[in-house]
Amino acid sequence: MLSDDQMREALDAAMTDFVTAVEAIRPEQWGASSPCEGWTVHDVVDHVVLGDHFCVRVISGASMSEAIEGLVGIDPDQSDVVGVVRGAAADARTAFAGPLDREVDHPVGVIPARRFLGFRILDQLGHAWDLQMAIRSQPVRLDQHAIDVALQVAAAEREMLESSAHFATAPGDGGGVSGSMQQFLTAVGRRADWQP
């Protein structure tokens, strides 16, 4: 079983991978397609920033509807998009620094903050990969510790992942794949050979 510190470290690493990918986005790439079907680079970054804001609010005790109200994402034309992404990530890290056994309101139901932290690891890491693929970052890299933790989270959340409409393919489709990166991509419904 993963410790709270292992999960926090994995979130930190996944957020670092995501911010690094955002730093590499060129102005003309914000409208580029991404491995998230129907989502542009802007949509992916906006989703992650909104997710960070949402998690801060629900961990602070807001209901899901209260947490969603008035959320504002990113404008790629603003002067410091990377600063906004970094700030949202820092706020989320701080929110998860407290006890992880408290319950939070989430679209899947009322869940422990620890489970929500696992979701954020999957989300941040998966979308870091999406951005790297969309902007043709070479080589595509994700933190190995974060992948290892994410694989354990994905195994525990297999049923939720397979029933989610937010993943392009069913996580069980890639049976027999090898390598931790490939296993992670399969678990979150991504194809390593994605092309725009």
Side-chain angles (χ1 to χ4, degrees):
M1 181 174 168
L2 293 164
S3 72
D4 292 353
D5 284 344
Q6 285 175 309
M7 293 185 69
R8 289 185 182 109
E9 288 166 9
L11 179 66
D12 187 65
M15 286 176 159
T16 298
D17 284 343
F18 186 81
V19 170
T20 299
V22 173
E23 289 172 336
I25 298 170
R26 298 189 306 273
E28 69 274 14
Q29 292 179 313
W30 284 99
S33 61
S34 81
C36 287
E37 189 174 342
W39 282 18
T40 64
V41 166
H42 172 266
D43 295 330
V44 172
V45 177
D46 197 59
H47 165 77
V48 171
V49 169
L50 290 173
D52 286 341
H53 291 318
F54 174 81
C55 92
V56 169
R57 291 179 178 190
V58 295
I59 290 173
S60 297
S63 68
M64 189 171 61
S65 59
E66 291 168 338
I68 292 169
E69 188 175 336
L71 281 179
V72 178
I74 58 110
D75 175 354
D77 293 326
Q78 65 192 103
S79 61
D80 189 15
V81 174
V82 174
V84 171
V85 174
R86 275 196 192 115
D91 291 345
R93 284 185 189 107
T94 300
F96 282 116
L100 297 180
D101 54 355
R102 62 195 150 164
E103 294 191 330
V104 298
D105 199 4
H106 187 276
V108 302
V110 176
I111 61 173
R114 181 177 292 102
R115 186 176 183 203
F116 189 19
L117 174 54
F119 293 167
R120 294 304 297 154
I121 293 166
L122 295 174
D123 203 50
Q124 291 273 348
L125 202 58
H127 290 312
W129 181 84
D130 292 336
L131 287 185
Q132 290 179 42
M133 291 294 287
I135 66 173
R136 307 296 189 276
S137 177
Q138 295 296 328
V140 175
R141 288 189 182 149
L142 298 176
D143 181 86
Q144 187 61 53
H145 169 70
I147 290 174
D148 293 342
V149 170
L151 285 172
Q152 291 186 59
V153 171
E157 296 292 349
R158 182 181 175 95
E159 184 177 332
M160 184 277 296
L161 290 171
E162 289 182 343
S163 65
S164 173
H166 300 290
F167 295 97
T169 60
D173 288 348
V177 296
S178 61
S180 57
M181 172 74 96
Q182 183 59 57
Q183 290 171 8
F184 170 72
L185 294 176
T186 299
V188 295
R190 302 297 197 272
R191 295 182 57 94
D193 60 354
W194 176 84
Q195 294 291 325

